[in-house]
Amino acid sequence: MVWRQSAFMLAPRPRGFHVITAEVVGEMPDIRDLRVGLMHLFIQHTSASLAVNERVEPEVRQDMEAHFNRLAPEGVAYAHHYEGPDDMPAHLKAVMLGSSVTVPIRDGRLALGAWQGIYLCEHRDRGGARRLVVTVSGERAD
């Protein structure tokens, strides 16, 4: 059984849903050696989140952003407002989507569906660099 853990920073991105699958795989080349396993991703921030969804059609990501902006709008009288009008809505969106995803590994590759990708969901206008902790476990392909 193999266990590996790494932490890395994602470059700052604008508000929205961003496919980061290739970046994550690039940071964890150890998955190529695994026959079967799991990759767990955790984001160490409270105003951004992670998700797995459609990676090909950009309209899906645009619609996701628009929908979550309606669910947690700016301009509401939130008690928490010290970091700007986008902060509390960002916390709400992050709670709805979650701070982690787990993806199976099969034959040295992420076992995502044909259309799936890993998203960084940036909920702030200027969220800055985001730190991910990635843990990989599995059995080597011997």
Side-chain angles (χ1 to χ4, degrees):
M1 185 70 143
V2 174
W3 283 92
R4 297 277 189 270
Q5 188 173 79
S6 179
F8 66 95
M9 299 297 286
L10 295 170
R13 287 176 167 79
R15 180 191 239 167
F17 290 73
H18 307 278
V19 179
I20 60 167
T21 312
E23 284 178 78
V24 170
V25 170
E27 290 289 335
M28 294 303 285
D30 294 353
I31 68 171
R32 287 184 231 134
D33 300 330
L34 300 179
R35 182 182 61 79
V36 63
L38 295 172
M39 181 180 68
H40 182 264
L41 295 142
F42 178 80
I43 190 165
Q44 293 183 310
H45 301 274
T46 59
S47 57
S49 54
L50 297 171
V52 172
N53 213 297
E54 161 75 47
R55 68 173 171 76
V56 178
E57 299 293 334
E59 296 86 1
V60 172
R61 295 187 298 277
Q62 293 168 358
D63 288 342
M64 297 278 275
E65 176 66 16
H67 178 76
F68 279 96
N69 286 337
R70 285 191 299 276
L71 285 174
E74 292 181 23
V76 174
Y78 297 110
H80 175 76
H81 56 82
Y82 306 112
E83 295 179 45
D86 67 340
D87 189 42
M88 190 59 216
H91 292 305
L92 293 170
K93 294 170 190 175
V95 165
M96 286 186 251
L97 287 162
S99 57
S100 67
V101 296
T102 301
V103 179
I105 298 167
R106 183 176 47 228
D107 297 326
R109 301 181 65 173
L110 296 181
L112 291 164
W115 302 101
Q116 290 181 316
I118 301 168
Y119 284 3
L120 165 68
C121 312
E122 178 55 68
H123 306 304
R124 300 288 312 265
D125 291 330
R126 289 174 295 284
R130 299 301 192 174
R131 184 177 178 88
L132 295 183
V133 176
V134 184
T135 305
V136 171
S137 64
E139 295 178 10
R140 288 191 184 277
D142 292 325

